[in-house]
Amino acid sequence: MERIEAGLPVVAGADWHGVRYFCTTRAGGVGQGPHASLNLGIRADDDPAAVAENRRRVRAAVAGEPRWLRQVHGADVHDADLPAPAGEIAADASVTTTPGQVLAVMVADCLPVVIADAAGTVLGAAHAGWRGLAGGVLENTLAAMAAKAPAATGLRAWVGPGIGAAHFEVGGDVLEAFAADGEDARACFVPRAGVPGKWLADLPALARLRLQRAGVAQVELSGLCTVSDASRFFSYRRDGVTGRMALLAWLQPA
C-alpha cells in the first residue's frame, strides 16, 4: 500500500505490532535528471548536495538516524546495536533489538526485505539480489536475529519492490546458483522463448522460498516491479544510470 510519511510518498505492507517500516519511492526529493528526485545513494553519480538533502528528508520521517550500509551483494550482517563505526559498514543486512534504531537498505531492482517477530522485539533488514539470496543473506539475517533474541517466535517478512519476473532475464550461472534448492527453486525460472540459455527468474518467489524454508511462516510480497513502474521506482536494469530507494525499518517502544 502507498502512503505519505513526513511528506514523502512511500510503500509498505501490512501493519506489524511493534514495528514501523516502509520503502521510499523516487518521489519527494530534489534530484534532477536520471536521479529525479529522491535518490538516496551516495555512489549513484548524483550531486552529493542533493543526496544529502534527500537523506535529511528521510531522516525527518523516521525515528532516528538510519544505519546506512555499503552494500556489496554479499551475505554479511551488521549488528546495529553496536556503536556506529567511524568508516563505512560493508554489509548487506543489519539487525537490532533496540527501539528507535533505524535499519536502512538501499535498492534499485534488488529486493528490500524486512523481518521481525510477532512481539516486535527483534528486527532485521536485508538487501537481497540474486547473489545475496544464493549466498544466504536472508538465512544469515535470521541467524543473527535468533542470536540476539533466542525466545522470539512468529517470524514474518515483507519483500518490497524489486525487479519482477517478466523483466529479470538471467543466464545459466544464476540458475546454477540455486540448483541446490531443488525443484521448488527451479520452478522460479522460466525459459526465455526464442533465446537459448536464458531464463526469466522470479526473484521475489525465490526470496519467499528461502524465507519459508528458514522458518518464516508469514511472507508478504509487495508485488511491485521496479522495472515496469518508471514513474514510482528507480531501476538499474531499466536505466543504467539511476538513483536508489531505501527500505527503512525500526522497532517501536513497548
Side-chain angles (χ1 to χ4, degrees), residues 161-228:
I163 190 169
H167 299 280
F168 192 29
E169 181 183 286
V170 302
D173 57 333
V174 180
L175 180 65
E176 180 61 26
F178 292 92
D181 289 344
E183 288 302 313
D184 288 341
R186 182 65 179 82
C188 297
F189 293 82
V190 176
R192 186 71 184 266
V195 187
K198 296 293 183 180
W199 289 261
L200 293 175
D202 191 338
L203 197 63
L206 286 166
R208 178 173 56 194
L209 176 64
R210 284 286 184 118
L211 288 164
Q212 290 175 337
R213 287 184 174 179
V216 181
Q218 300 180 50
V219 180
E220 180 185 359
L221 304 184
S222 73
L224 299 171
C225 175
T226 48
V227 178
S228 62

Side-chain angles (χ1 to χ4, degrees), residues 94-122:
S94 54
V95 295
T96 184
T97 55
T98 303
Q101 174 58 65
V102 181
L103 307 183
V105 167
M106 286 186 292
V107 290
D109 286 335
C110 294
L111 301 173
V113 181
V114 59
I115 311 168
D117 67 315
T121 61
V122 62

